[in-house]
Amino acid sequence: MREPQVGKFLGAWCLLMLSLPIAILWIRPDFESGQSFATLGKLAVVLAAVSACGLALTYAVMRRYSTLTAQFAEFIGALPAQEKDLPIEGPAETQNLSRGMLAMAERVRVVVEQANTEASRRETILACMAEGVLAVDSQMKVIFCNDAFAQAFSTRIPVTEGRTLYEVVREPLLRDILQRVLSSRTPETDRFQLPSADGRWFEARSLPFGQKNRSGAVIVLHDVTDIQRQEQMRKDFVADVSHELRTPLAAIRGYAETLLDGALDDEANRRRFVEIILSQSIRLNNIASDLLVLSELDSGKEAPMQSGHISVLEVVQSAINTVLPAAGLRNVDIDGSDCQECAVVGVRFRLEQVMVNLLDNAVKFNRPEGNVTVACGYTDKGKVRICVSDTGIGIPSGDIARVFERFYRVDKARSRPAGGTGLGLSIVKEVVDRMGGTIAVESQLGRGSKFIITLPAA
Ligand code: ADP
């Protein structure tokens, strides 16, 4: 099918051609009569008219097309925004072209919109991630870094693209890993401690991406400091338990062997040896029971029905009665007269365990003829406060923060013979924490200590 614009052009051309015979008829009389000057003059007029028409036609067509191409260029330049409108007008072929370009612009807009949505979704996910994510190109220039990563290394956010890795993180270990991944193009998983991130532990997964000059590597850092600490604590705890058990077990075995080797007939010493075996087995038993309590507390196995309203006054009196014989042996006086009726919610025998541990320590680490005072009641803020003060040896300021650690003793030589396991205060802290309370210590070396428990009132 003939295109309309070409048709118009052909029409104009035909008109021009048709005018030629007229021009010939106009020139012919002069040509035949041999008036060459007039012939040439008329020929020149005809040629001038033909070329003027041709020029005018070409100019009109060119002008139309240059306006249209300028419109198209402006429209394409503004993509994917569709602020520029493309009018559907003019010859049919340009109308078709305009329609095609409008359809293409719509497709481009949809694709760009999808890409933008995808990019912003990815960026939101990466920004919300607790893991630090950093990507570098093949020149080790940072192309992406999320907030978690920047925060871990105290880097100013947002991290502008194109900065070198060294400018963002001064961590040779990360640089080495990324360089290895870039050159080997194989993923790597490592676990390490980074001094530049406050000594925190990270599990890092690094992966290469892209091809040739558009390649790079991404590293994802998962903070495992707490897991690492727990693993270390577990290892230390197992080591501590074995160490604590080994001492009484060695003593029991040693004295039993000595008795069998003939000391059974040694009237002067055999009773003492058996007493040592007994005291060491009591110590083993104490350690085992304290460990059991801690394991029960750790596993949170407390039956909810055991929890209820507890009268603190009753618990304090019962605990005082439990430690009275030990206090009597050391001539330590226990005064519980400053106790008022108050109630908390929790498991009664656990609170009693707390009070017995605190009172037992207050007696154990006291001087002969010393005093222990127990006070309890409501605070101005409506909480329940229990204080256990003693006039004992006190705790050095450097050790106060550590006395709640498992197996921590300020003076092992004093605690062990007194039957201490080093677990009492860990149990106290664990129970108080579970009851939603806090425990604080005030102590003066050589003058005494004060343990203050604050619990939510029932
Ligand atoms: P232990 O079985 O040794 O008493 P605890 O966990 O109860 O273990 O206490 C840990 C350490 O805290 C004790 O070994 C002791 O050094 C110190 N301590 C606890 N209570 C007192 C106190 N009232 N006076 C002085 N030191 C104390």
Side-chain angles (χ1 to χ4, degrees), residues 251-288:
I252 290 170
R253 184 180 166 172
Y255 283 105
E257 279 172 357
T258 313
L259 284 168
L260 288 174
D261 283 351
L264 276 172
D265 303 322
D266 178 357
E267 272 192 40
N269 286 313
R270 64 184 179 199
R271 187 178 173 81
R272 195 169 57 85
F273 290 168
V274 174
E275 276 170 1
I276 291 173
I277 291 175
L278 180 68
S279 81
Q280 291 302 327
S281 49
I282 290 171
R283 202 160 110 72
L284 274 180
N285 191 54
N286 289 347
I287 293 174

Side-chain angles (χ1 to χ4, degrees), residues 153-172:
F153 294 92
S154 309
T155 304
R156 213 177 312 138
I157 25 184
V159 175
T160 41
E161 211 182 303
R163 286 169 72 192
T164 59
L165 178 67
Y166 190 67
E167 283 175 303
V168 178
V169 202
R170 300 205 168 177
E171 185 53 71

Side-chain angles (χ1 to χ4, degrees), residues 290 357-358 360-362 364-365 390 392-395 403 405 408-411 415-416 419-426 443 449 451:
D290 280 356
N357 276 336
L358 290 180
D360 185 48
N361 281 348
K364 226 164 42 182
F365 300 105
D390 64 65
I393 58 171
I395 305 168
V403 289
E405 286 176 24
Y408 190 81
R409 300 174 180 100
V410 177
D411 182 359
S415 164
R416 280 202 183 119
T421 60
L423 293 169
L425 287 183
S426 332
S443 189
S449 311
F451 287 78

